Amino acid sequence: MFEHKKIQGLEDFFVELNNRREQGVYFYRINGYNEKVQDFVLKYYQAARQSGVVIEGKIPNPDEKNLAYYGEIMGMEFKMSLEFFTASLGKWLPRMNQYQRETVAASIYNSLDSMRNAGKNENMLKNAYIKFMCWLYYKFERIVSQLGQNKVPKILYEGEISNYELTLISILSNAGCDVILLQYQGDQGYRKLDSDAKLSEELVIPGLSAFPEFFNLKWMIQEIQRQQNTERLYGILPESRNCTNAWLEGKGLVDIQTDIRSRGEDPKLFYNSLIRISGVEDKLTYQNELYQFQLELKNSGRRLVILDEAIPKPSMEEIGAIRRKNYANYEQMLLDLAGNIQYTANLELQRLMHKAFLDIFLEEVKKTDVNLNRLTNKAVYLLCWLKRYQGDLFSNWKLPQISCFIYLGGCKDENEAMFLRFLARLPIDVLILVPNQNVTCVLEDPVLYEIHYTESLNVAKFPRETGELQIGTAAYHAERELDNLMYQDSGIYRNQQYGKAISVTLRTMYEEIAILWEQELKYRPNFSTQDDTVNMPVIFAKVSGVKNGNVTGYWSAIKKLMVGDVLLIKEVPYINSTEYNPIKAHATEFYKNGKVQKAKIRAHPAYPYGVLRDEIQEHILEKLQILIERNIIRGTFENGTEYTIVATILNLNKEIVRLLQKFDFTRKNPKVIYINPTEKPISLEDSIVTAFLNLVGFDVVFFVPTGYQSIEQHFRNRLMEEHQIGEYLYDLRVPNFASISSNSNTRQSWRERIFKRGT
């Protein structure tokens, strides 16, 4: 008979009998959950499957066939004696040795004797005995022959145990079994059977809560299978592993400059860092400190990669170089894609990369919103970046060398954050610099070490060479701070303060055009700024007819609008389709796969806008993309009109280009007045240009005295507000506006009243 002992820790369950602190077995009830309990139960479950019994639900009662077989072999005799029980076990369970028979027989006798003392009659004792014998044969035969051995057999019972089940499991426990009762509903049911808790101990450890709904034996089987699959994924593990940040002293750049060999002494560890420094300590010295820092790293012989503002997206060629297939599950995906990690120059480094890749993505798999296709795309991005930078980071690498990866500007998206977290699990110091505190870095990691400074500085490029080093004076930084006070959410805007803008077309009354025409954009209805983008309220209208038939007043009203940066178009068409356009030959190169190829356009010798401000060039190309993808012009994606759009917008008139160059998105915007007094059709190119100018922020007004369809013939949908202001007049000639008075009250001459023609 074995005594029940108390554990000092859950690992005691897995200690062999001869090595236990006290010779005995453990019988415990688990009524609460935490991660430590989860890990223990998983391990115990596997031990019980290998050398014990797992009971899910109830132990089935012996059926008629079971009882008939028992009667055939053993007969129905019953004697309440130790000798009878020992002899019966020898016949019924012949694989048991003498010691096991005697131990189990003694345990049965003690249990039945307790029942007799509790008032059970002979017949009840006999029925209980036969039930126990059947259960021993049909459910526990595999462990009774292991009793008393150095490797203690295990029983795991899930659910609310019954009286007879508790009695039999106590018999086996007393005979040499460890037992765990998993009680998801708590201890109340058990206490009805064993009110003083004499038969077992309750597991009491800090931090226990109620069992989660997912936790049961079925989940354990799946979890064990997942763990086994994970072990197969990893294959041969590296001999070394990372010790990230544990050695830091909190000195930022100085820590990274610390000699590799003085960081730690364990030869199985490499000592690296993952640090993010937000803000700057001293604006005047910050850039010089960075320059000296990278110079010191280079002089020490460490390999170094520095990136500014963004990690360039993988090219189509890089993505195409990653071998991949269609996958049914994430295990297939990870196993196959991990095969792209090749570093034959150093097998240990290849294993480190392989393990870091799996660590990162197995963490991702645990997220509830995981999507296999999205996960595959992330993995491809990471592998592309690894292939791109591994040569610079690891050429001729060997332990304990630590490379350095510096990223100025902070992670903009999940892909960048994942890549840097991956690098931080390799022999690399990863340093993220976010000097501008208005910028958000999305990277999160439990081991990330953060340093925060109160000052903020806008630094777009890491100072690598002395010629790139730009340091602001104290007066310069003071002026920048004053700018922030004056121009941040104040309604006052610095010249060219914003580099991005979105046009919002206003729906107005005709009379409002003249009122809004000379207003700066910031004073117009619905003007706003958000982050680094301006929402520009613009006019895009067609004025049909002549008010009161007053031709002189008509021209005078138009003359009033011809102030400031106005492009007047009075010859129809403005752009003739037959005119030579040098961009046409390259249009198919400049637009592919539904995207305007910005980099290729800006690098091409035929590109005419390279002299413009960078933000205006980006503004033009962005609105070109929008003009095409919104399918604004008829024929787009049907007959190649998208290439006409590309060629037209990249060959704008010099006057328009100059208006764009000086355009400040918060001030007065450029204007276009297009007059079409005849039946001449407006060209497709004219429609393209005016729709584009509306998108970039111009006010565009068409004056069509005839009321004929004109510009809208080439638009797929109604874009402009049309104002019907009077009767339609025909064959008017656009006058020399220098001779026109801006006084709209001028009376009509008799000739105008008769012939309805301008002079």
Side-chain angles (χ1 to χ4, degrees):
M1 296 285 288
F2 287 84
E3 292 184 4
H4 290 177
K5 302 297 182 181
K6 292 186 178 182
I7 60 171
Q8 290 187 328
L10 289 170
E11 285 301 314
D12 289 352
F13 273 94
F14 308 107
V15 177
E16 292 185 343
L17 185 62
N18 292 341
N19 295 326
R20 291 187 174 180
R21 181 173 45 84
E22 297 179 276
Q23 290 287 306
V25 295
Y26 308 124
F27 188 169
Y28 270 77
R29 312 185 307 280
I30 300 180
N31 300 315
Y33 171 88
N34 62 17
E35 288 191 6
K36 188 175 181 180
V37 167
Q38 174 182 302
D39 294 340
F40 164 73
V41 174
L42 281 170
K43 187 175 180 180
Y44 190 90
Y45 173 82
Q46 290 178 291
R49 289 188 64 190
Q50 292 171 1
S51 58
V53 171
V54 177
I55 302 168
E56 186 176 2
K58 299 291 184 182
I59 306 173
N61 282 320
D63 58 22
E64 291 183 4
K65 290 182 179 179
N66 300 150
L67 294 172
Y69 181 70
Y70 175 82
E72 181 182 340
I73 301 299
M74 302 297 296
M76 301 307 291
E77 184 181 4
F78 172 75
K79 292 181 181 179
M80 185 60 188
S81 72
L82 187 59
E83 294 77 11
F84 175 77
F85 295 157
T86 304
S88 297
L89 287 171
K91 184 178 181 181
W92 183 237
L93 296 165
R95 289 206 301 163
M96 296 173 69
N97 60 33
Q98 184 63 26
Y99 168 79
Q100 291 162 348
R101 286 195 296 272
E102 290 175 355
T103 304
V104 173
S107 187
I108 291 174
Y109 182 87
N110 288 343
S111 295
L112 292 178
D113 190 48
S114 295
M115 292 172 64
R116 180 169 59 183
N117 293 335
K120 304 294 184 185
N121 60 36
E122 184 84 4
N123 194 49
M124 290 178 177
L125 297 179
K126 176 181 178 181
N127 290 339
Y129 167 75
I130 293 173
K131 177 179 282 193
F132 293 159
M133 292 291 277
C134 287
W135 277 348
L136 287 173
Y137 182 86
Y138 289 108
K139 192 67 179 178
F140 296 98
E141 195 273 340
R142 64 174 298 197
I143 64 171
V144 291
S145 59
Q146 302 176 44
L147 296 172
Q149 296 180 5
N150 198 30
K151 187 176 183 180
V152 181
K154 315 289 185 194
I155 296 175
L156 176 61
Y157 186 100
E158 177 191 54
E160 293 209 16
I161 197 166
S162 68
N163 188 32
Y164 281 112
E165 289 173 328
L166 178 59
T167 302
L168 178 65
I169 287 176
S170 295
I171 289 170
L172 291 171
S173 177
N174 295 333
C177 280
D178 287 334
V179 180
I180 287 290
L181 301 184
L182 268 180
Q183 301 188 142
Y184 302 139
Q185 306 303 320
D187 218 23
Q188 186 175 356
Y190 177 87
R191 289 289 189 155
K192 292 178 181 178
L193 307 178
D194 182 18
S195 59
D196 297 328
K198 293 180 179 179
L199 301 178
S200 64
E201 299 285 342
E202 181 181 6
L203 180 67
V204 179
I205 57 175
L208 292 182
S209 60
F211 282 97
E213 291 185 8
F214 70 81
F215 192 84
N216 53 40
L217 290 182
K218 184 177 180 181
W219 174 84
M220 281 184 235
I221 295 169
Q222 295 172 344
E223 183 66 11
I224 290 168
Q225 184 63 50
R226 187 193 66 77
Q227 291 178 357
Q228 291 172 347
N229 291 341
T230 299
E231 289 174 5
R232 285 196 291 270
L233 282 175
Y234 278 98
I236 301 175
L237 294 173
E239 295 179 358
S240 55
R241 58 189 177 88
N242 60 304
C243 175
T244 304
N245 288 353
W247 55 275
L248 293 181
E249 296 182 6
K251 297 179 180 179
L253 302 185
V254 175
D255 281 331
I256 293 177
Q257 290 174 299
T258 302
D259 181 75
I260 306 303
R261 290 175 176 80
S262 65
R263 295 182 176 184
E265 298 178 353
D266 191 333
K268 294 295 184 181
L269 300 177
F270 57 85
Y271 297 86
N272 70 333
S273 61
L274 174 60
I275 301 173
R276 178 166 61 209
I277 303 177
S278 301
V280 302
E281 188 173 16
D282 188 330
K283 293 180 180 180
L284 296 179
T285 62
Y286 181 73
Q287 294 189 68
N288 187 54
E289 286 176 359
L290 293 187
Y291 174 71
Q292 296 298 332
F293 168 69
Q294 62 91 26
L295 198 62
E296 179 69 26
L297 291 178
K298 286 181 179 178
N299 291 340
S300 67
R302 292 180 62 183
R303 304 200 67 82
L304 180 64
V305 169
I306 302 174
L307 295 182
D308 303 307
E309 295 297 316
I311 304 176
K313 296 286 191 292
S315 65
M316 296 304 295
E317 291 76 12
E318 287 177 314
I319 292 173
I322 302 299
R323 293 181 291 100
R324 58 191 185 279
K325 304 172 185 174
N326 293 322
Y327 306 111
N329 53 57
Y330 74 86
E331 289 98 341
Q332 284 183 5
M333 182 270 287
L334 293 177
L335 184 62
D336 185 59
L337 288 181
N340 287 277
I341 299 175
Q342 299 292 327
Y343 201 82
T344 54
N346 192 303
L347 190 56
E348 175 69 4
L349 181 58
Q350 179 175 307
R351 288 171 180 164
L352 284 170
M353 293 176 179
H354 186 271
K355 182 178 183 300
F357 175 79
L358 293 175
D359 286 347
I360 289 293
F361 281 96
L362 288 173
E363 286 179 21
E364 286 293 304
V365 166
K366 293 179 182 178
K367 295 181 179 178
T368 55
D369 59 345
V370 65
N371 175 279
L372 183 59
N373 288 333
R374 190 161 173 255
L375 201 65
T376 302
N377 293 336
K378 285 185 175 183
V380 169
Y381 260 55
L382 188 149
L383 292 169
C384 288
W385 282 332
L386 174 61
K387 285 194 171 188
R388 183 193 297 172
Y389 297 114
Q390 69 181 17
D392 294 330
L393 289 167
F394 298 119
S395 179
N396 300 317
W397 177 87
K398 60 181 179 181
L399 275 177
Q401 292 175 353
I402 302 291
S403 309
C404 188
F405 188 96
I406 301 173
Y407 186 25
L408 175 68
C411 299
K412 307 299 185 298
D413 56 39
E414 291 180 353
N415 290 327
E416 291 187 350
M418 183 177 291
F419 180 57
L420 265 63
R421 291 178 58 234
F422 166 78
L423 293 181
R425 285 157 172 77
L426 301 176
I428 301 172
D429 284 333
V430 177
L431 174 63
I432 305 167
L433 298 170
V434 191
N436 185 349
Q437 300 203 62
N438 294 321
V439 172
T440 300
C441 174
V442 302
L443 183 141
E444 295 180 2
D445 195 288
V447 302
L448 176 67
Y449 187 85
E450 296 206 63
I451 298 174
H452 296 277
Y453 293 115
T454 56
E455 299 289 328
S456 185
L457 185 64
N458 188 18
V459 181
K461 194 171 183 182
F462 194 98
R464 296 170 177 80
E465 305 294 340
T466 52
E468 297 176 336
L469 192 57
Q470 298 179 354
I471 301 176
T473 65
Y476 170 84
H477 290 299
E479 184 184 35
R480 295 282 74 78
E481 289 175 3
L482 182 61
D483 278 357
N484 288 336
L485 290 173
M486 289 183 62
Y487 303 124
Q488 192 72 33
D489 300 324
S490 66
I492 304 172
Y493 301 100
R494 190 173 58 245
N495 287 338
Q496 308 295 351
Q497 181 173 343
Y498 292 92
K500 297 180 181 179
I502 299 170
S503 68
V504 180
T505 300
L506 292 171
R507 298 299 184 192
T508 69
M509 300 289 289
Y510 167 67
E511 290 75 13
E512 289 182 289
I513 293 176
I515 297 170
L516 295 169
W517 194 255
E518 275 294 282
Q519 283 187 353
E520 292 188 2
L521 292 171
K522 63 186 177 183
Y523 297 130
R524 289 183 176 180
N526 300 304
F527 173 86
S528 65
T529 60
Q530 186 172 9
D531 298 327
D532 60 347
T533 302
V534 179
N535 292 315
M536 305 177 296
V538 299
I539 299 168
F540 194 25
K542 174 185 175 184
V543 180
S544 296
V546 176
K547 189 173 183 179
N548 300 323
N550 183 351
V551 176
T552 301
Y554 181 70
W555 298 128
S556 180
I558 295 174
K559 172 71 177 288
K560 278 187 174 182
L561 301 179
M562 292 170 55
V563 290
D565 295 328
V566 178
L567 171 66
L568 175 65
I569 300 174
K570 55 183 182 179
E571 296 292 335
V572 181
Y574 176 60
I575 301 174
N576 198 309
S577 302
T578 60
E579 290 178 6
Y580 172 68
N581 183 336
I583 302 296
K584 282 185 178 179
H586 311 290
T588 54
E589 301 174 49
F590 293 166
Y591 185 79
K592 287 184 177 180
N593 302 319
K595 293 293 181 183
V596 172
Q597 305 297 305
K598 294 181 182 180
K600 183 174 287 188
I601 290 171
R602 295 183 71 161
H604 200 279
Y607 176 59
Y609 304 146
V611 296
L612 301 181
R613 291 181 288 128
D614 281 340
E615 56 267 30
I616 286 297
Q617 292 187 53
E618 180 63 26
H619 189 58
I620 291 171
L621 296 176
E622 180 187 324
K623 302 314 177 190
L624 171 57
Q625 174 72 40
I626 292 172
L627 180 61
I628 297 172
E629 70 183 18
R630 287 187 183 171
N631 206 355
I632 291 171
I633 306 298
R634 292 184 188 276
T636 305
F637 307 126
E638 294 173 2
N639 54 20
T641 298
E642 58 269 27
Y643 301 114
T644 304
I645 295 171
V646 171
T648 302
I649 300 307
L650 294 181
N651 189 47
L652 293 172
N653 180 286
K654 185 180 292 185
E655 188 175 1
I656 294 176
V657 174
R658 288 177 175 176
L659 291 174
L660 281 166
Q661 168 68 3
K662 66 183 293 190
F663 184 16
D664 187 331
F665 299 144
T666 65
R667 304 187 189 278
K668 289 184 180 179
N669 58 330
K671 326 287 184 185
V672 175
I673 297 174
Y674 196 124
I675 306 172
N676 184 12
T678 68
E679 289 85 359
K680 283 186 178 180
I682 290 178
S683 67
L684 170 64
E685 288 76 5
D686 285 6
S687 296
I688 291 170
V689 168
T690 50
F692 171 76
L693 294 180
N694 167 251
L695 289 174
V696 296
F698 280 51
D699 286 336
V700 180
V701 179
F702 286 85
F703 286 94
V704 186
T706 62
Y708 287 149
Q709 290 274 325
S710 53
I711 192 74
E712 58 266 51
Q713 289 182 324
H714 298 293
F715 291 159
R716 192 174 297 277
N717 300 303
R718 179 183 174 186
L719 301 179
M720 301 175 297
E721 184 75 10
E722 184 172 4
H723 302 284
Q724 299 285 347
I725 65 168
E727 60 183 292
Y728 298 149
L729 300 182
Y730 305 96
D731 300 320
L732 297 182
R733 289 197 299 269
V734 180
N736 177 3
F737 281 98
S739 63
I740 296 294
S741 169
S742 59
N743 183 357
S744 60
N745 293 324
T746 303
R747 296 179 63 187
Q748 287 182 298
S749 68
W750 64 270
R751 185 180 298 175
E752 289 170 341
R753 291 197 298 271
I754 295 174
F755 296 103
K756 308 295 185 186
R757 299 171 66 100
T759 57

